[in-house]
Amino acid sequence: MKSILFIFLILFSSLSLSQDEDSWVIDDIRISGLQRVSAGSVFAVMPLGLGDLINAEKFKEITLSIFETGKFDDIKLGRDGNALLIDLVERPTIDEIFIEGNKQIKTDALLDGLKKSGISEGSLYKRSVFESLSVELERQYSSQGKYSASVEVKTENLPKNRIKLSVIIDEGQSASLMKINIVGNTVFSDEEIIDEFKLKEKNWLSVFSRGSGYSRENLKGDLETLESIYKNNGYLKFDVLSTIVSISKDKKDLFLTIKVNEGEVYKVNEVKLAGDLEEKELFVRSLIAIPINEIYIEGILKATEDNITYLLENLGYTNAEVSTSKDINEEDKTVSLTLFVDPGQRTMVNRIVFEGNERTHDVVLRREMRQMEKSWVSNNLLETSKLRLNRLGFFKNVDYEKKQVPGSQDEVDIVFTVEEQYSGSIGGSLGYGAYGLSLGANYSEKNAFGTGNSVSVGINYSEWRQDISFNFFDPYFTIDGIGLGYGAYYRKTDYGSFNIAAYNTDSYGGNVTFKLPISEIEQLGLSLELDNTKLKTNLYSSRQLQDFYNSEGFNFDTITAAISWAEITLDRGIFPTNGMSNTISLNFTLPGSNLNYGRFIHDLKLFRPLPLGLIFGYRSRIGALFTYGDTETAPPYQHFYAGGMRSVRGFKQNYLGPKASYNTGFGPSNPRPIGGTYSLTGGLDLIIPLNFVPDPRSIRGSVFLDYGNVFSDGCKSYEVNCFEFDFSELRYSIGVGITWITALGPLSFAIASVFNDSPNDRTETFQFEIGTQF
């Protein structure tokens, strides 16, 4: 035993001596290889410092702690006497990311995806991430039906430890969905089910239709549609057992098989309500519309849950949750439903903040708010506020978000973010021609100087016309939203001496207008206008004007009152996509006027969204001019006109309807329009999003069908192209148009082909105008 103990002590002493020889005290630390990373950040993560004892085990700890920073590709430790040597190789940074060959997935979307994976310009280059990058991108393309897509990732070393990352993409061709098989269905046929799908089998019509190509998103949506078909018909336990997507060897054809279990039909035998509702229970119960002893319909249940959630959210319970438990009785095939309602914490608005309105004053946005500060949050009021901002026509986009107030569980700040756009137009002209020198300047702005007020000023001068006008409107003249507008004008014309018009007028006047809100979507307008107009005739004046001159005189002072009603549900002031604008106006001269006449106008615009981002648009304008009292003939300068970009495209501006006639042979060889007392114009537009342009929100195109004409009652025998209202005399045009919102105002172009026209009509295949939109 003594011998064994002696041997053990010798071995133990030798081992201790060996360990002491491998350990040493650090009296200096030297770091090399650093370029961007500071030495201080390395010292901060090291588990040891000067004066500490170090050994082989501590070497591992130091290496691990530095590597975990993710900033280095290689780490080497060494010793020089009692100095610790650390040699580091920094990871390079990504200086540039270049993506080429992508069409199906936009570059911005790919860059966002890379950023989520930790890859962006300025970030560190990690080989582990890049090794799986091409596989991940190919997986994204496969999910879009492009199974033959390939992605190659290259790196190029740049000075100062930087690299350029190049992603070369070959998208290949999309695989065609050749066949959809439904297995296990007996209640509904394959055709009935597939007819509701977005995914469509390839056929000979696929060449002409855009359709919905295969993608995992479309498949997921169709599976949800399939489930709705059955569960809305009582098949409560319907289930999709499996989905199998097969691809041909050449990766061009896809075959989809969906296996289902239909189950049986169940009826609802009871509906109960649970949760901490207190005084809200009566309101919540009134929203339950699930029929008892009828088949279970998933859609009605979901609608009930949504309605309850919507109610609570409008009462300030922004985190309200509604869920339903189903107690199924297999014997009699019934289900008992229990709706669990958790209102959550009621939330109040602390502050409403606006961002992005660099030009528009805060007060202009704030006065459109229906959600107030220091009141309970209401999603309905927030959406109404957003809608009112959109209708102003000042912004391309309006959005909002709720931000929790730090340190408070029941308060949020509402941040509205807007993107401003041009809301006015400016134009000028300078020319010299057959009628001498002409100068002109026009300015129109709906949001003048960011105040929300609209202003328009026009000054035009030539040897045959002088025109000055000014109009101003304040939509919030009072805090209650009563609008006040006023304007003045002076116009002097001498068209007759140049044979270019049927009458000449000199007029001046002014007006005042009030707008009174009736509801969120309705308003009433009242206005009063004073006008003085003088007519002048000469050798070239039209016969219609001479008849009016002889019947009514030449100097007219009129006081005109107007009343209008408008209902506007459009989702946007410029380029609406949904909603309606319906306006009816009537103006008439008051006692004390030299002429007794009135004008009735009905304007209607309707927009509805369609699949594939298309928009259906319809517009109609009906006008009538009438006389009363001792006035027999309506003044020609109040006539209606049609033709041009603002009414029936493809026909020359104002050139539809009756033409001027002359007592002598001195009239123009092509009679000019004289207008009429009735008008009917309108059109249908299939509005197409132009997503390929840099900013599709500022431009839109359409395929249109326009119709319209101008009519008169009591046409004289000598009048040309004059007829009473007759649908067979409507003129039509079809074509394509584009409107672009610019700093100068809306620029509109149209190419049209006309039909049902007459020899007296003037047509134009191409038309252009500033200030018109559809």
Side-chain angles (χ1 to χ4, degrees):
M1 287 296 296
K2 290 182 180 181
S3 300
I4 295 173
L5 180 62
F6 178 75
I7 295 172
F8 176 77
L9 290 175
I10 292 176
L11 291 175
F12 180 78
S13 300
S14 301
L15 180 60
S16 299
L17 182 61
S18 175
Q19 288 179 347
D20 289 342
E21 288 178 352
D22 290 339
S23 302
W24 44 279
V25 177
I26 303 173
D27 60 12
D28 189 17
I29 300 176
R30 304 170 194 169
I31 301 177
S32 60
L34 295 180
Q35 299 184 47
R36 298 178 315 277
V37 182
S38 65
S41 63
V42 178
F43 286 128
V45 299
M46 287 180 56
L48 299 178
L50 296 178
D52 291 335
L53 185 68
I54 187 172
N55 54 31
E57 191 64 31
K58 296 296 183 181
F59 265 56
K60 295 179 182 179
E61 293 181 16
I62 293 173
T63 302
L64 182 61
S65 63
I66 296 176
F67 185 77
E68 286 179 345
T69 64
K71 299 178 181 180
F72 304 100
D73 267 341
D74 192 17
I75 303 171
K76 295 179 180 178
L77 301 184
R79 176 181 179 183
D80 182 10
N82 287 340
L84 174 62
L85 305 181
I86 304 177
D87 185 23
L88 303 173
V89 178
E90 290 184 358
R91 285 178 173 168
T93 57
I94 302 172
D95 184 70
E96 180 184 357
I97 299 177
F98 174 75
I99 300 178
E100 181 182 27
N102 56 306
K103 295 179 181 178
Q104 181 80 11
I105 304 177
K106 294 183 178 180
T107 299
D108 289 344
L110 289 173
L111 290 175
D112 288 341
L114 293 177
K115 190 172 184 179
K116 292 177 182 178
S117 300
I119 302 171
S120 61
E121 292 183 359
S123 64
L124 294 176
Y125 172 75
K126 300 178 182 179
R127 287 187 174 85
S128 59
V129 175
F130 282 93
E131 288 174 356
S132 60
L133 178 59
S134 59
V135 176
E136 172 61 22
L137 290 177
E138 288 176 3
R139 187 195 64 80
Q140 291 187 34
Y141 276 100
S142 296
S143 69
Q144 300 295 322
K146 290 184 173 291
Y147 288 90
S148 60
S150 63
V151 179
E152 182 182 5
V153 180
K154 297 180 179 179
T155 58
E156 178 183 348
N157 294 326
L158 301 176
K160 298 181 179 179
N161 201 27
R162 297 172 299 131
I163 66 165
K164 175 183 177 181
L165 175 65
S166 297
V167 180
I168 313 301
I169 300 172
D170 181 6
E171 293 186 337
Q173 294 183 348
S174 296
S176 300
L177 184 57
M178 303 303 294
K179 184 63 179 177
I180 302 177
N181 293 308
I182 313 293
V183 179
N185 56 311
T186 58
V187 179
F188 299 101
S189 66
D190 286 13
E191 291 74 16
E192 290 176 306
I193 295 173
I194 295 173
D195 191 52
E196 300 294 327
F197 280 9
K198 285 186 177 180
L199 294 175
K200 300 297 181 183
E201 296 176 353
K202 183 179 180 181
N203 54 46
W204 66 274
L205 289 175
S206 303
V207 179
F208 305 100
S209 63
R210 181 177 175 180
S212 296
Y214 173 80
S215 69
R216 292 182 184 175
E217 291 76 12
N218 285 340
L219 175 57
K220 181 180 178 181
D222 285 345
L223 293 178
E224 292 175 354
T225 299
L226 176 58
E227 186 175 358
S228 297
I229 292 173
Y230 277 91
K231 289 191 174 182
N232 284 335
N233 284 277
Y235 294 89
L236 174 61
K237 300 185 75 173
F238 170 83
D239 189 25
V240 177
L241 300 178
S242 65
T243 57
I244 301 174
V245 180
S246 304
I247 187 170
S248 61
K249 291 183 178 180
D250 58 6
K251 297 184 179 181
K252 293 182 179 181
D253 297 331
L254 291 177
F255 303 89
L256 174 62
T257 302
I258 302 174
K259 187 176 181 180
V260 302
N261 177 28
E262 292 179 324
E264 298 185 51
V265 175
Y266 289 78
K267 290 186 177 182
V268 177
N269 68 342
E270 185 182 18
V271 179
K272 295 184 290 184
L273 186 62
D276 184 15
L277 297 174
E278 299 177 352
E279 73 280 359
K280 300 178 288 297
E281 183 172 349
L282 183 62
F283 294 102
V284 172
R285 285 192 180 278
S286 67
L287 298 176
I288 299 176
I290 303 172
I292 306 298
N293 296 324
E294 299 290 340
I295 65 170
Y296 170 83
I297 301 176
E298 182 99 338
I300 295 180
L301 174 60
K302 294 296 183 185
T304 300
E305 293 177 342
D306 292 342
N307 290 337
I308 295 173
T309 304
Y310 182 76
L311 169 66
L312 294 174
E313 287 178 342
N314 288 328
L315 293 175
Y317 299 93
T318 56
N319 297 316
E321 293 183 0
V322 181
S323 59
T324 303
S325 70
K326 304 178 181 71
D327 185 10
I328 299 174
N329 187 326
E330 292 292 353
E331 292 183 4
D332 56 8
K333 302 301 178 187
T334 61
V335 58
S336 176
L337 303 176
T338 303
L339 280 76
F340 292 93
V341 181
D342 179 14
Q345 176 70 51
R346 201 173 190 185
T347 308
M348 180 177 288
V349 176
N350 176 48
R351 294 175 61 237
I352 297 178
V353 182
F354 303 99
E355 296 179 353
N357 55 316
E358 298 179 359
R359 181 171 179 270
T360 307
H361 299 169
D362 263 26
V363 66
V364 177
L365 285 76
R366 194 168 295 279
R367 66 193 185 190
E368 300 297 333
M369 292 295 101
R370 294 301 178 259
Q371 171 72 67
M372 297 292 105
E373 295 177 343
K374 304 305 178 183
S375 64
W376 300 119
V377 177
S378 169
N379 283 357
N380 184 39
L381 294 178
L382 286 172
E383 286 298 321
T384 301
S385 301
K386 176 182 175 180
L387 180 61
R388 291 182 65 87
L389 291 178
N390 269 318
R391 287 177 182 165
L392 290 175
F394 306 162
F395 311 111
K396 288 183 182 179
N397 186 55
V398 178
D399 210 344
Y400 68 87
E401 63 175 328
K402 304 167 191 173
K403 292 186 176 181
Q404 197 74 36
V405 175
S408 176
Q409 297 297 321
D410 60 353
E411 287 184 307
V412 294
D413 290 333
I414 308 298
V415 181
F416 277 87
T417 304
V418 300
E419 184 179 354
E420 294 181 316
Q421 69 180 355
Y422 299 114
S423 58
S425 62
I426 184 171
S429 62
L430 172 64
Y432 184 87
Y435 307 133
L437 180 69
S438 64
L439 297 169
N442 296 276
Y443 168 75
S444 175
E445 175 59 76
K446 293 182 179 180
N447 185 21
F449 309 108
T451 62
N453 301 329
S454 61
V455 175
S456 64
V457 180
I459 302 175
N460 295 280
Y461 170 83
S462 70
E463 293 183 11
W464 52 277
R465 182 183 70 173
Q466 296 83 48
D467 186 330
I468 301 175
S469 64
F470 170 80
N471 286 283
F472 172 85
F473 182 72
D474 180 358
Y476 280 85
F477 179 68
T478 70
I479 194 172
D480 298 323
I482 296 178
L484 170 66
Y486 49 84
Y489 58 87
Y490 171 76
R491 291 188 292 268
K492 185 176 182 180
T493 63
D494 188 15
Y495 293 117
S497 61
F498 294 104
N499 283 344
I500 63 172
Y503 58 87
N504 311 314
T505 65
D506 294 342
S507 61
Y508 61 87
N511 61 75
V512 60
T513 301
F514 290 93
K515 293 292 179 67
L516 293 80
I518 301 174
S519 67
E520 288 292 342
I521 62 173
E522 294 179 273
Q523 67 176 10
L524 184 69
L526 302 172
S527 67
L528 190 68
E529 179 178 339
L530 303 178
D531 176 83
N532 174 265
T533 298
K534 294 179 181 179
L535 292 180
K536 295 180 181 179
T537 62
N538 54 41
L539 184 63
Y540 303 106
S541 296
S542 68
R543 187 171 178 179
Q544 291 98 327
L545 182 63
Q546 293 284 2
D547 287 350
F548 175 78
Y549 184 94
N550 294 332
S551 172
E552 308 296 340
F554 65 92
N555 191 359
F556 310 104
D557 290 309
T558 56
I559 307 171
T560 304
I563 182 171
S564 65
W565 170 85
E567 179 185 18
I568 301 174
T569 60
L570 299 176
D571 59 348
R572 291 177 55 84
I574 295 180
F575 287 170
T577 62
N578 195 8
M580 177 185 66
S581 172
N582 188 15
T583 304
I584 299 174
S585 64
L586 173 66
N587 59 40
F588 49 90
T589 57
L590 298 177
S593 303
N594 299 124
L595 290 173
N596 298 314
Y597 66 88
R599 280 167 59 97
F600 170 85
I601 297 175
H602 176 229
D603 271 312
L604 176 66
K605 293 181 180 179
L606 178 68
F607 297 90
R608 288 291 183 267
L610 299 174
L612 305 178
L614 301 174
I615 301 167
F616 168 77
Y618 171 74
R619 55 188 169 78
S620 170
R621 181 180 176 89
I622 301 172
L625 173 64
F626 58 91
T627 61
Y628 59 93
D630 57 0
T631 300
E632 297 180 359
T633 307
Y637 53 82
Q638 292 292 340
H639 280 178
F640 294 100
Y641 293 85
M645 291 288 291
R646 298 175 185 268
S647 58
V648 187
R649 287 164 281 190
F651 291 89
K652 191 172 181 179
Q653 183 77 25
N654 299 331
Y655 245 82
L656 291 177
K659 302 298 187 294
S661 301
Y662 300 90
N663 287 320
T664 67
F666 295 102
S669 58
N670 292 314
R672 302 300 188 219
I674 191 64
T677 54
Y678 299 97
S679 73
L680 173 61
T681 59
L684 304 173
D685 284 277
L686 180 62
I687 300 170
I688 304 170
L690 305 179
N691 296 324
F692 55 86
V693 299
D695 188 0
R697 295 170 299 177
S698 297
I699 188 171
R700 67 170 25 170
S702 79
V703 178
F704 63 82
L705 167 64
D706 287 352
Y707 65 85
N709 210 339
V710 176
F711 309 91
S712 284
D713 52 356
C715 294
K716 307 296 192 299
S717 59
Y718 61 78
E719 289 190 279
V720 178
N721 209 44
C722 182
F723 24 78
E724 296 184 353
F725 181 80
D726 186 349
F727 280 110
S728 66
E729 293 294 343
L730 288 177
R731 307 296 185 242
Y732 300 90
S733 66
I734 57 173
V736 295
I738 293 177
T739 292
W740 178 29
I741 304 298
T742 71
L744 296 177
L747 302 182
S748 297
F749 307 83
I751 299 175
S753 175
V754 305
F755 54 99
N756 201 39
D757 53 317
S758 75
N760 293 310
D761 298 326
R762 298 280 295 277
T763 62
E764 295 176 329
T765 302
F766 175 78
Q767 292 176 311
F768 163 78
E769 187 168 303
I770 299 178
T772 301
Q773 58 167 305
F774 49 83

